[in-house]
Amino acid sequence: MCTASWTRASDGGFTLFFSRDEGRGRGRALPPQRLEVEGGAALAPIDSDAGGTWLAADDGGLVVGLLNRYHAAPPDPPEGFTSRGHLVRTLAGAGSLDAAMARLDALDLRTYRPCTVLLAAPGEAPQIVDWDGAERDGPHQARRPLMSSGYDFAGAAESRRAAWRETVGADTTPGEPDARDLLAFHRSHHPTRGPYSPCMHRPDASSVSLTRVDVTASTVSMAYADGPPCTSPLGAPLSLARRA
């Protein structure tokens, strides 16, 4: 249960927002921190239950996000599953889309539950790879907003796309959207505050955080709102210098 959106700058950089929806029994995540990863350094919030993450940005400018695919339910492997959040940590540090895909190609995805992996890097259109538990599909160019939902996915997708049109613009609107409009989208309760709105509220689950990533020619930064996007401000960003 997550929603991602992004806007690209004319110099090749980009801004990406990622809101995380979780069940109320899940532990509170740790705010973004610097991680030493294969290939360099990365910024990522940490899932306190499994130690992985749903979003990471490395010092090469690569951003890796993960959304669960609730409608696919393969049989459990004999040895059990690896937390999908560790897949993000494995890909972070690759520094580019091609390098991230090479790492993905080398993995046995059968140890992970179904998911969608979002890959964004400077100067390139964001890509997604879908894993349904048996077959991998992609990479394909990502469509914004990108979303998942364990509750009536079709209804949530339709509602969030309507919220996107209301706060950001139609799919045919020329140019790239403003980051302020993306923020308004993630905080939106369109059409009403509930299970279908981008800022999601259900008795058993809710939007629990919002992360903003900015990638420029010289830096990668991550700001984090620890709480529902509708009421929680983004904190001061944590930054990395871009590696050559």
Side-chain angles (χ1 to χ4, degrees):
M1 297 175 285
C2 295
T3 304
S5 68
W6 55 89
T7 184
R8 291 176 286 176
S10 58
D11 63 358
F14 61 93
T15 296
L16 183 145
F17 287 89
F18 201 106
S19 54
R20 185 191 191 207
D21 303 345
E22 282 295 346
R24 297 192 182 277
R26 199 164 184 94
R28 186 175 182 178
L30 303 177
Q33 56 188 262
R34 178 188 172 108
L35 303 176
E36 299 304 321
V37 293
E38 182 183 353
L43 302 174
I46 302 298
D47 173 28
S48 61
D49 288 349
T53 185
W54 60 97
L55 184 69
D58 71 27
D59 56 0
L62 174 73
V63 177
V64 183
L66 185 138
L67 301 90
N68 294 339
R69 288 172 61 86
Y70 295 95
H71 54 280
D76 289 358
E79 67 279 9
F81 286 108
T82 301
S83 170
R84 286 167 286 202
H86 290 281
L87 176 58
V88 177
R89 296 187 67 148
T90 298
L91 298 178
S96 70
L97 289 180
D98 287 344
M101 286 304 306
R103 289 190 185 184
L104 201 57
D105 289 341
L107 295 174
D108 182 0
L109 294 179
R110 290 174 298 176
T111 63
Y112 299 97
R113 293 186 186 276
C115 59
T116 294
V117 177
L118 168 66
L119 300 169
E124 302 188 66
Q127 302 288 307
I128 58 168
V129 174
D130 289 324
W131 167 245
D132 68 3
E135 295 182 356
R136 199 185 84 183
D137 187 24
H140 305 293
Q141 185 168 328
R143 177 188 176 188
R144 59 193 172 197
L146 183 65
M147 69 202 80
S148 68
S149 177
Y151 175 87
D152 186 12
F153 173 75
E158 180 180 356
S159 178
R160 290 176 193 182
R161 290 192 182 107
W164 177 267
R165 292 191 295 270
E166 179 183 79
T167 55
V168 180
D171 295 341
T172 55
T173 300
E176 287 292 299
D178 190 280
R180 291 171 294 186
D181 292 333
L182 300 187
L183 179 59
F185 164 72
H186 283 268
R187 289 174 167 169
S188 170
H189 287 151
H190 177 91
T192 59
R193 183 182 186 274
Y196 296 111
S197 53
C199 184
M200 187 271 289
H201 300 268
R202 298 199 324 248
D204 61 328
S206 66
S207 296
V208 297
S209 69
L210 175 66
T211 307
R212 172 176 175 160
V213 178
D214 288 282
V215 176
T216 71
S218 59
T219 62
V220 176
S221 64
M222 180 176 284
Y224 186 69
D226 186 8
C230 59
T231 57
S232 304
L234 289 162
L238 191 63
S239 297
L240 294 172
R242 284 277 305 275
R243 68 176 186 250

